Amino acid sequence: MSDLNKQKIVESVPQTGFFGHPKGLFTLFFTEFWERFSYYGMRAILVYYLYYEVSKGGLGINQQTTLAIMSIYGSLVYMSGVIGGWLADRIFGTSKAVFYGGILIMLGHIALAIPGSFTMFFVSMILIVLGTGLLKPNVSTVVGEMYSVKDVRRDAGFSIFYMGINLGAFISPLIVGTIGMKYNFHLGFGLAAIGMFLGLLVFVFTKKSSLGLAGTTVANPLSPSEKKKVFTQFAIGVVLLAILIAVAIPAGILTVESFITLIGILGFVIPIIYFVVMYRSPKTTSEERPRIIAYIPLFIASVMFWAIEEQGSTILANFADKRTQLDFAGIHISPAWFQSLNPLFIIILAPIIGSIWVKLGDRNPTIPQKFSFGLLFAGLSFLVILLPAYIGGKDALVNPLWLVLSYFIVVIGELSLSPVGLSATTKLAPAAFSAQTMSLWFLSNAAAQALNAQLVKFYTPATEMTYFGVIGAASIVLGIILFALSPKLQGFMKGIK
Ligand code: GLU
Ligand code: ASP
């Protein structure tokens, strides 16, 4: 998009109206709030829905397969951002992408709300994967479009938006989780659908008056000849895929297991292709090339971090259900409530950690150093879970406060890696690829969850201590290596701080 167009968009957005920020931030904040409400509420109960016995309202799938499916699902949700980003960039613009995405997501939750079978779950997963790929990266891109490049409120705007994400993620396990676990899973999924519906209402009814031209332009539209080529290739691709699936399923080649392996491979192959293309592109300048090299270790660190963080909704959710005292201090705790802890701690700690960075001024740690803290705390959060089993044995139920502590520690790491990571991605990616940086960042989470789908195979009650110990230690070792490398990486970044 040209600078002139960017300027026109900024001018079209009412520049105040939401806590001193552009009015459109209200629209985007609540759209994303409700979208995350639906996503995290659904995930807080989905894990139990999949493995609970049929007599308890679940699908009765094997526990290990469930944990792998949850990871693959999470991986695909972030992988599809590549498609959503591309469609917005080249065909219909970000605003329409958000709208279509919201509709697909809502339909996905409705599919789960209808009591059904594994097939219904599969349909819902496809809808939510595609919908989130359309909505999630694009709604964040529109946040950026409302501020001029020099606007000092820009970072604060993203922080407020980030609070919206975590507020939605915080309340939904308490609402969707409570209703879904206590009464009926499908009622819970229904509430997630209503949440997304409310998000769509906010978006549709307020966007005209608050977003101006933001999200309405197509950044890099396809030329008519490109369009023809792309549509033909797409049609051929769909037909080939359909034939492949139709042959592979009856032949026993496409099973849940082989699908998990396939996504595991894609989770890594896609970011590798991204890196190679960016590095070799003639549009990448000689100053930008070393920055790509410096970004690779940061990307790897990010994968390790999200691998641990995302296990909070799979392995630790299972741990909450099976290994934790849920009758505690006179109340019965729903295992789904543990999913509120991460976002709760984010909301509490984000302002504190943010102000520490500001106070440190010149002594502020560098980007690679902050990433290494992220790994350190992620590793510690797993080692902490090891302790109760070490002290009390493998069979005794664990005091829930250990889990609370683990979620608390990982959040300290999350706050030193996640907000920094997104802005580092935008600064380190070559300018010619700036439209795709949001998707690139989400690919680290996609790779992490693809890795998790493989890791869960090693998680059994008998191997629990080794599992948390090895992964926690690996993260800490990686953090130390990154810390040692950080002065060198800083050199490769060519002035980016
Ligand atoms: N919890 C974050 C969100 O939902 C994770 C996304 C990321 O990988 O940055 O936005
Ligand atoms: N902290 C996550 C994110 O920033 C939310 C969660 O894990 O519930 O959105």
Side-chain angles (χ1 to χ4, degrees):
M1 208 187 299
S2 73
D3 287 347
L4 190 69
N5 278 343
K6 277 189 190 161
Q7 193 52 34
K8 251 199 205 144
I9 292 173
V10 174
E11 279 163 16
S12 75
V13 180
Q15 282 294 312
T16 51
F18 190 59
F19 296 111
H21 280 263
K23 201 171 163 198
L25 192 59
F26 169 88
T27 302
L28 304 172
F29 181 99
F30 283 105
T31 306
E32 180 62 345
F33 167 92
W34 284 115
E35 184 269 330
R36 291 286 94 182
F37 172 96
S38 71
Y39 180 70
Y40 282 113
M42 176 274 289
R43 273 183 82 85
I45 56 174
L46 180 67
V47 60
Y48 305 123
Y49 172 62
L50 291 177
Y51 76 71
Y52 273 21
E53 291 156 26
V54 178
S55 62
K56 283 181 161 178
L59 289 178
I61 296 170
N62 157 308
Q63 204 165 286
Q64 219 161 53
T65 312
T66 294
L67 298 178
I69 293 175
M70 288 290 290
S71 302
I72 287 304
Y73 190 167
S75 177
L76 286 169
V77 154
Y78 288 116
M79 222 183 266
S80 65
V82 174
I83 306 173
W86 186 89
L87 287 171
D89 225 23
R90 311 226 51 190
I91 300 186
F92 41 63
T94 39
S95 179
K96 284 204 179 110
V98 169
F99 176 70
Y100 298 148
I103 300 275
L104 293 181
I105 293 171
M106 184 179 71
L107 292 176
H109 293 301
I110 291 175
L112 274 176
I114 302 166
S117 55
F118 189 76
T119 317
M120 218 50 179
F121 159 70
F122 195 67
V123 170
S124 154
M125 180 167 115
I126 295 175
L127 289 168
I128 291 175
V129 163
L130 292 176
T132 317
L134 280 168
L135 190 148
K136 177 104 169 100
N138 290 316
V139 74
S140 329
T141 305
V142 188
V143 175
E145 280 185 26
M146 297 188 306
Y147 298 87
S148 76
V149 191
K150 288 191 211 110
D151 196 327
V152 288
R153 299 173 303 171
R154 199 183 167 88
D155 281 357
F158 272 101
S159 302
I160 295 176
F161 182 71
Y162 184 57
M163 283 292 174
I165 292 179
N166 281 284
L167 267 177
F170 164 63
I171 65 163
S172 66
L174 303 178
I175 299 174
V176 175
T178 305
I179 303 290
M181 298 300 283
K182 198 162 174 191
Y183 300 103
N184 180 305
F185 285 118
H186 302 288
L187 209 57
F189 295 129
L191 286 176
I194 293 175
M196 191 63 254
F197 177 67
L198 295 176
L200 275 167
L201 285 187
V202 173
F203 187 71
V204 170
F205 286 109
T206 64
K207 77 175 183 344
K208 228 190 185 115
S209 64
S210 71
L211 280 175
L213 294 173
T216 57
T217 46
V218 184
N220 181 14
L222 289 175
S223 66
S225 66
E226 279 176 322
K227 230 178 215 165
K228 218 171 171 180
K229 206 168 112 196
V230 168
F231 286 139
T232 321
Q233 284 172 348
F234 179 75
I236 297 175
V238 170
V239 173
L240 281 180
L241 198 69
I243 296 175
L244 219 65
I245 294 174
V247 174
I249 293 182
I253 303 169
L254 189 63
T255 58
V256 172
E257 274 74 36
S258 63
F259 186 65
I260 290 171
T261 312
L262 176 71
I263 302 301
I265 297 169
L266 279 183
F268 288 88
V269 169
I270 295 174
I272 291 174
I273 295 175
Y274 250 78
F275 280 111
V276 173
V277 170
M278 283 195 301
Y279 194 84
R280 297 185 47 184
S281 163
K283 289 181 191 157
T284 301
T285 66
S286 56
E287 188 163 65
E288 288 172 333
R289 273 203 186 96
R291 288 189 186 140
I292 298 177
I293 302 290
Y295 188 67
I296 294 172
L298 296 183
F299 188 88
I300 296 171
S302 176
V303 173
M304 180 77 237
F305 175 81
W306 289 113
I308 291 183
E309 201 266 2
E310 290 288 355
Q311 288 189 42
S313 61
T314 58
I315 301 275
L316 292 193
N318 182 250
F319 192 92
D321 181 39
K322 293 276 153 102
R323 297 276 289 109
T324 311
Q325 294 163 20
L326 293 173
D327 285 305
F328 186 74
I331 48 167
H332 181 74
I333 305 171
S334 166
W337 292 347
F338 287 90
Q339 296 308 314
S340 285
L341 289 171
N342 171 307
L344 173 67
F345 290 138
I346 296 257
I347 296 164
I348 298 172
L349 294 180
I352 302 176
I353 296 195
S355 70
I356 295 179
W357 298 147
V358 174
K359 268 215 184 92
L360 282 175
D362 282 348
R363 286 172 298 135
N364 215 330
T366 60
I367 297 169
Q369 282 170 343
K370 285 184 180 161
F371 268 62
S372 63
F373 299 153
L375 289 182
L376 187 73
F377 285 107
L380 284 177
S381 79
F382 261 28
L383 296 188
V384 153
I385 282 296
L386 243 170
L387 290 176
Y390 182 72
I391 300 164
K394 285 200 312 271
D395 302 317
L397 287 181
V398 166
N399 184 316
L401 293 176
W402 285 107
L403 263 183
V404 176
L405 182 63
S406 172
Y407 281 110
F408 180 81
I409 295 176
V410 87
V411 163
I412 302 178
E414 185 162 345
L415 285 169
S416 72
L417 183 140
S418 172
V420 188
L422 185 57
S423 88
T425 312
T426 53
K427 291 180 205 159
L428 290 170
F433 293 85
S434 64
Q436 285 150 45
T437 49
M438 209 62 83
S439 322
L440 179 63
W441 170 247
F442 288 134
L443 280 179
S444 66
N445 192 319
Q449 298 204 63
L451 175 69
N452 282 351
Q454 310 299 319
L455 287 180
V456 295
K457 285 183 205 134
F458 303 102
Y459 180 77
T460 64
T463 56
E464 176 192 293
M465 283 176 66
T466 325
Y467 184 86
F468 289 125
V470 170
I471 297 177
S475 180
I476 293 175
V477 170
L478 218 60
I480 295 173
I481 298 176
L482 185 63
F483 193 85
L485 283 177
S486 56
K488 218 183 178 111
L489 293 180
Q490 201 57 45
F492 275 117
M493 289 189 190
K494 305 275 167 209
I496 302 274
K497 284 195 189 119

